[in-house]
Amino acid sequence: MSSQTASIPFATIQQYEQIRERTEYICLPLEPEDTVVQPIVDVSPPKWHLAHTTWFFETFVLRPYLQGYKVFHPKYGYLFNSYYNSVGNRVQRSARSTITRPPLSDIYAYRQHVDENITKLLESIDEDKISEVMKVLELGLQHEQQHQELLLTDIKYILSTNPLLPAYKVSKPLQPFETEPEVKAKYMDVPGGIYEIGYQGKKFCFDNELGVHEVLLNDFQIMNRLVTNKEYLEFMEDGGYSDFRHWLDEGYTMVKSEGLKAPLYWVQEDGAWYRFTVYGLELVDMNSPVTHISFYEADAFANWSGKRLLTEFEWEAASQVYKPRTGNFAETELLEPAPAIAGAKGVQQLYGDTWEWTYSAYHPYPGFTKAPGALGEYNGKFMINQMVLRGGSCVTPQSHIRTTYRNFFHPDKRWQYSGIRLAR
Amino acid sequence: MSSQTASIPFATIQQYEQIRERTEYICLPLEPEDTVVQPIVDVSPPKWHLAHTTWFFETFVLRPYLQGYKVFHPKYGYLFNSYYNSVGNRVQRSARSTITRPPLSDIYAYRQHVDENITKLLESIDEDKISEVMKVLELGLQHEQQHQELLLTDIKYILSTNPLLPAYKVSKPLQPFETEPEVKAKYMDVPGGIYEIGYQGKKFCFDNELGVHEVLLNDFQIMNRLVTNKEYLEFMEDGGYSDFRHWLDEGYTMVKSEGLKAPLYWVQEDGAWYRFTVYGLELVDMNSPVTHISFYEADAFANWSGKRLLTEFEWEAASQVYKPRTGNFAETELLEPAPAIAGAKGVQQLYGDTWEWTYSAYHPYPGFTKAPGALGEYNGKFMINQMVLRGGSCVTPQSHIRTTYRNFFHPDKRWQYSGIRLAR
Amino acid sequence: MSSQTASIPFATIQQYEQIRERTEYICLPLEPEDTVVQPIVDVSPPKWHLAHTTWFFETFVLRPYLQGYKVFHPKYGYLFNSYYNSVGNRVQRSARSTITRPPLSDIYAYRQHVDENITKLLESIDEDKISEVMKVLELGLQHEQQHQELLLTDIKYILSTNPLLPAYKVSKPLQPFETEPEVKAKYMDVPGGIYEIGYQGKKFCFDNELGVHEVLLNDFQIMNRLVTNKEYLEFMEDGGYSDFRHWLDEGYTMVKSEGLKAPLYWVQEDGAWYRFTVYGLELVDMNSPVTHISFYEADAFANWSGKRLLTEFEWEAASQVYKPRTGNFAETELLEPAPAIAGAKGVQQLYGDTWEWTYSAYHPYPGFTKAPGALGEYNGKFMINQMVLRGGSCVTPQSHIRTTYRNFFHPDKRWQYSGIRLAR
Amino acid sequence: MSSQTASIPFATIQQYEQIRERTEYICLPLEPEDTVVQPIVDVSPPKWHLAHTTWFFETFVLRPYLQGYKVFHPKYGYLFNSYYNSVGNRVQRSARSTITRPPLSDIYAYRQHVDENITKLLESIDEDKISEVMKVLELGLQHEQQHQELLLTDIKYILSTNPLLPAYKVSKPLQPFETEPEVKAKYMDVPGGIYEIGYQGKKFCFDNELGVHEVLLNDFQIMNRLVTNKEYLEFMEDGGYSDFRHWLDEGYTMVKSEGLKAPLYWVQEDGAWYRFTVYGLELVDMNSPVTHISFYEADAFANWSGKRLLTEFEWEAASQVYKPRTGNFAETELLEPAPAIAGAKGVQQLYGDTWEWTYSAYHPYPGFTKAPGALGEYNGKFMINQMVLRGGSCVTPQSHIRTTYRNFFHPDKRWQYSGIRLAR
């Protein structure tokens, strides 16, 4: 993580408060029972997210830097460590639903306790520690934003397994743009050449974005928007899920063994396709981007359509060429992908709406090194068997994303807001 | 179920209220999060127990007998059916933790709704339906008492998986009897001959107790109390868990593959043995009966000691000979087994404290027939691969148990209050 | 095992030779590759059977009783021990297909080596050891006969998994009896009363038949022959496999999860039902007894037909009343069940054709004790979770079976020649 | 596959015969039973390899090009198809051990039948088909060479699971070079710049090597030989397998769950390390390259040593700079890795000895397209979740390998001759 500060600006304190508050805001619609279950290993209980993000500040900021700090509870370190071997033993990832106690109210008290002590620390910190603390604090906030996104995806999954299919939100925000008629697919040029890849700015970034390096690319073309549900349905109706020729072998094996026929959350009733959304079950909106698909499905769709996915380097190059860094992020409060804007030019939806699967493995950039100590476990140890996704989604905070941001999931995962952009 | 009544006695209404209230009393110490998780398939979420027992009355009493009854919620039938194929689809047993909604408060409202309507029904019922309704009502209450016992065993298991090992109860009731010094093991005669087995009275019993039949038994002797933790520890310290000669082959395979070394809930710290109880972690009381053991462990212990387990017929015969039908039941509120009474004569602890594993498979008695319709699914379809247990335990309601009562579990199960009595 | 001898009779030596030769005769049609595979854990490789039965004589006869005996190979004890913990480590049951070496020819050399040394021992044995050796020798021969039956069932299973469905035998022996027209089902009386159960003779029996004891039975009626394929097909065509009401719950779960619709080895082609036999794929013979069914299927069929299965005590009582102890055994070389004999009286097929599932758990008789040492592991440690079958089958040697013989398998097993007889 | 021919040269026929003969030569030491088992899904039965390589010629050469050709057996297509969905149904990969019949002798007859028909085809082929046939024929031979390597790795694995640990070969060829003293590790320069990656020649290559493209590399240094057993043992003795900091998270999970402590085939007895080789169990030769390790172990070793693995592009660039394309291949008949040559200069062991794990995912090169039809299933559909290995091994035929050759396995696989080369 690269970060340079001189003193603790007011903006930081305010940002801390805003981000911490937003996490709790996300959990407002939940019943206590919603916050403790773990229907699949990938999905963590919301209560655990609330506590783990707090544990991060307690462990990496308060304990080392706030003199005389007393931990809120001696066992919370064990309960709410995620995967940091350096920090000691922990509850196995698959056993997070055992944490029925402490109850939700205790976790909110824990959050308050830590927040108050962070404020105390920030008001009293030694001049020579400021830069060090600020770096960890910023990492903690970035970390909390990542968990805000996971909270939303995990809550959606939890509610989807409930036989009642309860809605997370009741009313939908107005959409400010024209989204009819459908934006036609076009392919926009990106010139070949040497591109600089990786983060070069002076603000925060994760260690996996460092190691700026040049990459040589050929000319290519990029689709002007994300692939829509309508286009994906054509693939389905053309027998896409039962024609092995479109698929990677491991993907086809998964399709057969799990009987997949549509994206996650799609259900067919009386011939019509519905999908489970944060608003409950809705008719599939044909102009919206397809989402909740695995890499395998993205790749099969691309093969079927005679196109291909981008590499992460091509994506980053394209985003240097086509610059609008706005999009449908968590801040719009829609929390589902929205159709491309009718009449807009250039390349839309590079940011927000859905993460875009790339055909790049999540590997280290040249010269990558893990930080020493626990924070070195943040990214590096996951650099195998996962694919890079780019651009953020409708549940990513806008302030969290960058052109160089590398998200990563195993190619079979479907519970994230993942989608497709084609190249040729 | 056999039951004969003439009119709805006041006692029945009172009994209904008492049993229903006790179920809620059992759940009082729980957090909402405790009520939704399902750490193993055997253990159902407490919220599910609260709702399922209510669903039983709604489905089998209110819907058929209360004219104009409106179900509380159209989906609850799907959510809270346990295993009645006749009644329609249901949530898979292993997926009960998906029911985060309806929240606990809705379930209490559901209970109130059904209780009010039951009262209404009982006040207005047609003369010619009384006998029929009373039978189902009684079955529903017996059923609820069974779930009270399961609630206590399941809550204990849920709390035991929580890394904080929270206690269910804070203070322990006083014990009214002398339990020191240890009662020495003696073997008491039961004469051979023909015994009548099965329920012959005019009160309630389950269908699996019917089919009264004569069984020819040899002379045998029965231990005067349950096997204690002290005796079981001797078995452990004599290498009982690592000497295959004591074990049934499937039991020994389980011991090796799961690394078993002690009863469920026992943990060793600094050389001393503790066990998780409803009061939290406690030193093992050596004079108390051993409990939370599988049939395999009970049988291995018996082999090690040169004795054997009883058959269910021997147990029933012995209980015809040695009559004290009292014991440490749920009503004492101890909820853990207690030591035998010092100085008492005869055979102690036949009832209460721990269920006694017998070496009898849970099979139909001669002439057993399943009732037609859904209630025929109550017992008969489970008559394979399970062993009979007799006598009730410290979490069984005293009013629920009989000499002829047949409980049954698979031989590997350990989460019930199961224990050992020897014969020779 | 009970056995009394005074000296080694010539008949014994001859019997030894005959039984040992028959084992090899059974394996004659096999390719070496057929002898090493293990398609499911239940099925052992034929080569392993050939070697294990030989190991039994080497371990329990030659090593203790033949002075100066040298084991054929120092590692064979490890390779070919089945489940005797007392005798030391062994290849895991599930890993028997790893024994590609020694090749089949070595195993035949091993058999010859042991056979020669057995002959040597029998010619030179001390007078005072004769009785002891004869007992173990007889057990070894009975054991080898059990493995002859398993060889045939395992070979059939192995060939059935081969995509070519090769036949084990080419030509079928002539059937000496009239089997047309179909024998109508009748129910024959067995009077109630006290019956003596268990082995009382002076010849060989297994330890699980000892503990003679009296059992009190009610009057009942027994079907005059085994249930036929025709009758079973009526059950299938009446939706038997999809109506939960006929089934034990664990049976119905298995039917659903494995998609069962017919007995093992049945396949439907163009509307007609075929079954895989030792002669390859054949049209189902409607008058032959149904076989290769699980206990669950036998019990469901009985429920569907409004009858029930017998207990093992009822079976033994009926066979005391209806005495023809002949039947279609392995000696007929048919190796598949045959139709009942037209015009015959009394109760047919009590012996041979198919094992008859009883509704009795395989538990110890009163007073059962395990022999000390390794041979005590023969039967006792399997007395849980299995059901008793009676009467032998078309692959059982006639000389091996008795009225009191107790076979046992888990209720889900289908690869044995198991069938159905009804009672009411 | 790129290949250009004008007529069928005598050399081709000779090459065909030599390659086909060598496959059978590899199987000479096997018993029939060795040829049918499948101890893990990765390992195919040798009989299956013998037949599948023959099926390839029958399916892709004889059936389309030899007029009047009659297939050897109508079912062999079903039995010996590997993964070509286009060609129809097939025996599941995990069920290859069911193919006990046809016996080994039939498979050799099958090979002869196909070989004779290939000869017939090559003698009578139409002028205008020559080029087409030659391409498929060459692919078939390359394919057969791949299976020769797999045969050797699979046979080694099969023998290693046999409790007798039989040797595949009895005597070891003499080694022609000085291999003492140990060659010290040095790091040799490879200059940065633009390198052309992919196959540009006119001979045969696989489709995954096509798509020649330029890659921009930084300066780096490459180790002058492979990592030795001695160096790897230092890692082990330094606690390498129990220090999570060296490991990718999924690798460490595998190490813990499987209890890994050393490379595959290593066993420790009385303090000394042995390894199972094609010559049976031998003391570990400290100067030989470490092999039979997963990517996870290679990467953990690199992290421990403060170096890193190469990318596949760096490897290909280095092999353009350091040119000796010789090595210890299958032709030396050693079939195990050998020490580096004492006194040699430059970079050794780039070819042969062990495949070198690279930190590159097996993905398509730019412009990669799958061939139409069945042969398009050869490589492309496996381009996910696997890592590239380069350089061939001691069981790779020398004539099979190229600088641009891309081998690929999942990062957890250990049964191939895989090893480590470091970069910095």
Side-chain angles (χ1 to χ4, degrees), chain A residues 33-288:
Chain A
E33 294 99 314
D34 297 328
T35 71
V36 72
V37 295
Q38 183 175 29
I40 52 171
V41 172
D42 296 319
V43 165
S44 292
K47 187 164 73 176
W48 186 91
H49 284 295
L50 285 164
H52 164 69
T53 47
T54 306
W55 166 88
F56 193 99
F57 288 108
E58 184 175 66
T59 304
F60 297 120
V61 180
L62 293 179
R63 292 181 68 167
Y65 297 110
L66 179 58
Q67 216 168 356
Y69 176 72
K70 283 200 182 113
V71 295
F72 183 74
H73 190 291
K75 287 268 196 171
Y76 280 20
Y78 177 72
L79 294 178
F80 300 121
N81 179 0
S82 54
Y83 54 68
Y84 298 86
N85 293 301
S86 318
V87 183
N89 283 327
R90 60 186 185 273
V91 172
Q92 283 302 303
R93 176 164 190 178
S94 57
R96 288 178 182 165
S97 71
T98 62
I99 310 173
T100 59
R101 317 277 180 96
L104 191 55
S105 51
D106 285 19
I107 299 307
Y108 280 113
Y110 178 38
R111 291 184 67 89
Q112 194 177 343
H113 171 86
V114 164
D115 289 351
E116 284 167 4
N117 279 281
I118 288 284
T119 307
K120 201 165 133 194
L121 170 69
L122 295 185
E123 287 166 3
S124 66
I125 193 164
D126 285 353
E127 191 68 21
D128 61 344
K129 294 282 185 188
I130 284 182
S131 152
E132 212 173 310
V133 167
M134 283 298 287
K135 277 185 190 169
V136 187
L137 197 72
E138 184 142 37
L139 180 60
L141 291 174
Q142 296 286 344
H143 173 256
E144 184 130 358
Q145 286 186 310
Q146 290 182 308
H147 279 276
Q148 286 172 0
E149 173 155 0
L150 288 171
L151 264 168
L152 287 163
T153 56
D154 292 0
I155 289 168
K156 183 171 179 179
Y157 193 91
I158 287 168
L159 297 178
S160 81
T161 64
N162 189 306
L164 301 179
L165 292 181
Y168 169 71
K169 292 189 73 166
V170 177
S171 66
K172 203 173 286 196
L174 293 174
Q175 293 189 29
F177 300 107
E178 294 294 326
T179 60
E180 301 277 354
E182 178 192 357
V183 176
K184 285 187 81 169
K186 275 189 269 183
Y187 286 82
M188 315 292 286
D189 292 326
V190 180
I194 290 178
Y195 285 86
E196 295 220 316
I197 300 296
Y199 187 72
Q200 307 191 56
K202 300 197 165 182
K203 297 197 186 148
F204 175 87
C205 78
F206 285 110
D207 56 357
N208 60 17
E209 301 166 59
L210 296 175
V212 177
H213 60 293
E214 295 183 327
V215 166
L216 192 57
L217 297 177
N218 297 329
D219 292 349
F220 66 98
Q221 287 188 311
I222 185 172
M223 200 178 188
N224 62 328
R225 58 157 171 75
L226 292 168
V227 168
T228 64
N229 287 321
K230 183 179 171 194
E231 288 161 338
Y232 197 83
L233 187 56
E234 285 166 21
F235 164 68
M236 288 163 54
E237 291 178 343
D238 192 37
Y241 277 88
S242 49
D243 187 342
F244 67 87
R245 290 173 306 164
H246 310 317
W247 294 82
L248 287 162
D249 197 55
E250 297 187 15
Y252 197 62
T253 300
M254 168 172 139
V255 161
K256 292 296 120 183
S257 72
E258 302 185 10
L260 304 186
K261 292 177 179 164
L264 181 63
Y265 298 138
W266 285 43
V267 284
Q268 197 171 23
E269 277 175 25
D270 303 327
W273 282 104
Y274 296 79
R275 56 188 290 274
F276 181 71
T277 71
V278 297
Y279 307 98
L281 211 57
E282 292 195 335
L283 263 174
V284 170
D285 174 12
M286 290 303 160
N287 286 350
S288 286

Side-chain angles (χ1 to χ4, degrees), chain A residues 20-28 50 108 111 115:
Chain A
R20 296 282 292 167
E21 270 168 24
R22 178 164 163 78
T23 305
E24 300 184 9
Y25 172 78
I26 288 171
C27 296
L28 263 188
L50 285 164
Y108 280 113
R111 291 184 67 89
D115 289 351

